[in-house]
Amino acid sequence: MRLLLIEDDDRIAGPLTEGLGRYGFTVDHVRTGAAGLADTTAAPDLVLLDLGLPDMDGLDVCRSLRARSAVPIIMITARGEEADRIVGLELGADDYLAKPFGVRELIARIRAVTRRAGAPAYAPTEPAEETARPQEHRTVSGAQALGSLSVNRRTREVHLDGQHIALTPREFDLLAYLAEDPGTVCSRQQIMDTVWDPHFFGPTKTLDAHVAALRRKLGDAGWITTARGVGFRLTVPGHRTASEGVN
């Protein structure tokens, strides 16, 4: 599926293009409204349109695109005012996605928009990074024992010393990911890409908050240790080295 991304901020366009590419999309990126309207590449299946462009208002781009084509348009922008959403939709945009957002949410909206437009349903491919970990570290059919800690991916339950530990869905996903390869440092970016979303557009401090919550619920900060400047690892308390911290 070919997408046309009209976005002037390379800090957003680069990761977004890479993230969508990992799911099998082909993305043509231009930085101005004029370039988007003059684009001579193969006709896109869908347009991702930022409203805050340097040369013209994204709403004007939307109006011009709709005047000459029925291509589905999803507006992606930091503007959150209701008036902008209403005007954009009235000008012919098919959907509106406010930053921050994750690439999986965007893909879900792409699929919904293309279905409404009568196009064949698009089934994105899963990125290779999500299946690259050695399968011997996955225990999806039952409980994984780590000292006194038990993580059951099938039932999504965690027990410590035989007692059930109540975790939120995201806390469980974080713990299960770290438990896939105990003792191995997982970088902050690896964790955000897998537990949250590849190229999550939002503050990464949420990771620190979830690590703190897990340490509190597990009753010992030593379960999740910090590799300073890199990320986190899961270790059984009492088995970590002197170089590990629990910041």
Side-chain angles (χ1 to χ4, degrees), residues 27 39 43 48 54 58 71 85 89 95-96 101 106 125 136-138 154 170 174 181 185 223-224 242 244:
V27 182
D39 186 72
L48 303 174
V71 62
R85 296 195 297 271
L89 294 171
D95 204 350
Y96 188 107
F101 60 87
L106 175 57
T125 58
E136 60 267 22
H137 295 305
R138 299 181 184 272
R154 181 173 57 82
R170 191 76 74 184
L174 173 58
D181 201 356
V185 175
W223 278 107
I224 302 177
E244 295 172 357

Side-chain angles (χ1 to χ4, degrees), residues 25-205:
F25 291 93
T26 297
V27 182
D28 297 318
H29 171 224
V30 296
R31 295 174 175 79
T32 65
L37 294 173
D39 186 72
T40 58
T41 59
D45 298 300
L46 184 140
V47 174
L48 303 174
L49 172 63
D50 182 28
L51 296 189
L53 299 171
D55 60 333
M56 57 193 301
D57 194 294
L59 294 174
D60 293 329
V61 178
C62 180
R63 181 188 294 109
S64 297
L65 286 172
R66 183 56 67 234
R68 70 189 195 190
S69 172
V71 62
I73 301 171
I74 297 179
M75 299 182 297
I76 53 172
T77 181
R79 298 184 192 177
E81 292 80 4
E82 183 181 16
D84 284 321
R85 296 195 297 271
I86 292 173
V87 171
L89 294 171
E90 288 182 345
L91 288 175
D94 297 272
D95 204 350
Y96 188 107
L97 187 58
K99 304 169 186 175
F101 60 87
V103 73
R104 288 193 179 112
E105 180 183 2
L106 175 57
I107 289 172
R109 290 177 180 266
I110 290 173
R111 297 186 70 185
V113 166
T114 52
R115 282 197 304 268
R116 292 197 297 267
Y122 175 74
T125 58
E126 287 298 316
E129 287 79 359
E130 295 195 0
T131 58
R133 275 182 171 267
Q135 292 301 308
E136 60 267 22
H137 295 305
R138 299 181 184 272
T139 54
V140 295
S141 61
Q144 176 186 9
L146 295 160
S148 57
L149 181 67
S150 171
V151 180
N152 192 315
R153 292 171 177 80
R154 181 173 57 82
T155 62
R156 294 182 65 85
E157 292 181 328
V158 174
H159 290 82
L160 182 63
D161 293 321
Q163 299 297 312
H164 178 258
I165 305 296
L167 302 180
T168 67
R170 191 76 74 184
E171 288 167 354
F172 178 87
D173 290 342
L174 173 58
L175 179 62
Y177 178 71
L178 293 174
E180 286 184 355
D181 201 356
T184 297
V185 175
C186 300
S187 73
R188 297 177 66 91
Q189 190 61 55
Q190 287 174 327
I191 297 171
M192 293 300 298
D193 283 354
T194 304
V195 178
W196 271 259
D197 202 324
H199 310 296
F200 173 78
F201 293 93
T204 61
K205 286 296 183 182

